[in-house]
Amino acid sequence: MNFLAIDASTEACSVALQYNDKVVSRYQLCPQSHSLELLPMVDQVLNEAGCKLKDLDGLIFGQGPGSFTGVRIGIGVAQGLAYSANLPLVGVSTLQAMAQLAYNNHQQTQVIAAIDARMSEVYLGYYEAGSDGIMQAKLDDAVLPPEQVGGHLAGLSEGAYGVGTGWDAYEEKLTGLKTNTGSPEVLFPAAEAMLAIGAAAFARGEQVSAEQAQPVYVRDTVSWKKLPGRE
């Protein structure tokens, strides 16, 4: 099966193509430049592999949580490409993709993913490796204050490998909850890690059409501080 994966849900922007058992990818840290970088990266991997969108079986996109703007850019590009080539899509959790990177690159089978969600909160997920080598969620992805993370994970793990920007952002409140020390080696998701997760979802028949593809923000509302004297 041949798939293109796209992610723009955090400061990192990435694209990965699995075509004829070969993987071609691009990855770049480019905050606030995703809309400029994403499509050229797609063209690069397609050209390098010598294939076109119509040669693919489906698209995989980072569905969030993460930056509201980044998530919307990623899903918008994925939907546009899917419409143009009549391809089905599968969404992958940003947190699951980071957990998968920890498994792929560091052989970690229990992972806590924490992204700085701003407003003194973290996006949080806990994952364990399945028999197929795919990281599986043991809790629904959530957003919560860092001081509540320990209680949220109580009883699930005696200690797990930490990934994501949340650990550095709230180091004092999260200290001791992960087994790795210092700043995590995996800070952001990568589309390449989404390929295996998305392929498994396609195999289970979970693909949707372009118009049905939806982001997952986790946080439903955003609280804006009002300026003095304004309603």
Side-chain angles (χ1 to χ4, degrees):
M1 301 290 282
N2 302 311
F3 300 111
L4 176 70
I6 293 170
D7 181 62
S9 54
T10 65
E11 291 92 324
C13 183
S14 59
V15 171
L17 174 68
Q18 178 178 302
Y19 183 68
N20 291 342
D21 297 323
K22 178 182 178 181
V23 174
V24 180
S25 64
R26 294 290 187 276
Y27 180 95
Q28 187 174 348
L29 284 177
C30 53
Q32 302 180 21
S33 299
H34 294 14
S35 59
L36 300 176
E37 301 292 341
L38 202 53
L39 281 173
M41 293 168 74
V42 170
D43 287 337
Q44 289 169 17
V45 297
L46 290 172
N47 291 335
E48 185 173 334
C51 76
K52 300 183 182 301
L53 280 175
K54 64 180 179 61
D55 299 323
L56 304 179
D57 297 296
L59 294 176
I60 300 162
F61 65 94
Q63 65 185 15
S67 158
F68 281 28
T69 300
V71 171
R72 289 195 297 268
I73 290 171
I75 190 172
V77 169
Q79 285 177 310
L81 294 173
Y83 272 122
S84 69
N86 194 29
L87 293 173
L89 300 99
V90 157
V92 171
S93 164
T94 307
L95 299 169
Q96 185 181 14
M98 291 194 301
Q100 192 67 42
L101 274 177
Y103 178 83
N104 293 349
N105 297 344
H106 305 287
Q107 296 75 55
Q108 297 296 322
T109 58
Q110 294 178 301
V111 176
I112 304 168
I115 297 176
D116 182 8
R118 314 301 181 188
M119 297 192 295
S120 299
E121 291 181 320
V122 292
Y123 295 122
L124 185 78
Y126 175 69
Y127 294 84
E128 293 183 359
S131 58
D132 57 357
I134 303 297
M135 298 299 284
Q136 306 290 342
K138 297 303 177 180
L139 288 173
D140 290 339
D141 292 350
V143 60
L144 67 165
E147 58 269 21
Q148 295 180 16
V149 169
H152 187 74
L153 297 172
L156 283 173
S157 173
E158 295 300 321
Y161 190 83
V163 298
T165 57
W167 300 99
D168 288 344
Y170 304 102
E171 181 179 5
E172 183 176 339
K173 293 179 179 178
L174 297 181
T175 186
L177 294 180
K178 62 181 175 66
T179 55
N180 45 323
T181 59
S183 182
E185 293 186 55
V186 177
L187 288 174
F188 304 105
E192 188 168 344
M194 295 181 176
L195 288 171
I197 301 170
F202 270 104
R204 295 191 298 267
E206 296 175 2
Q207 61 268 29
V208 298
S209 61
E211 63 269 18
Q212 294 174 312
Q214 296 291 327
V216 176
Y217 294 123
V218 177
R219 177 189 283 143
D220 294 325
T221 60
V222 176
S223 298
W224 299 97
K225 290 185 178 180
K226 293 183 176 64
L227 294 174
R230 296 194 179 184
E231 294 297 325

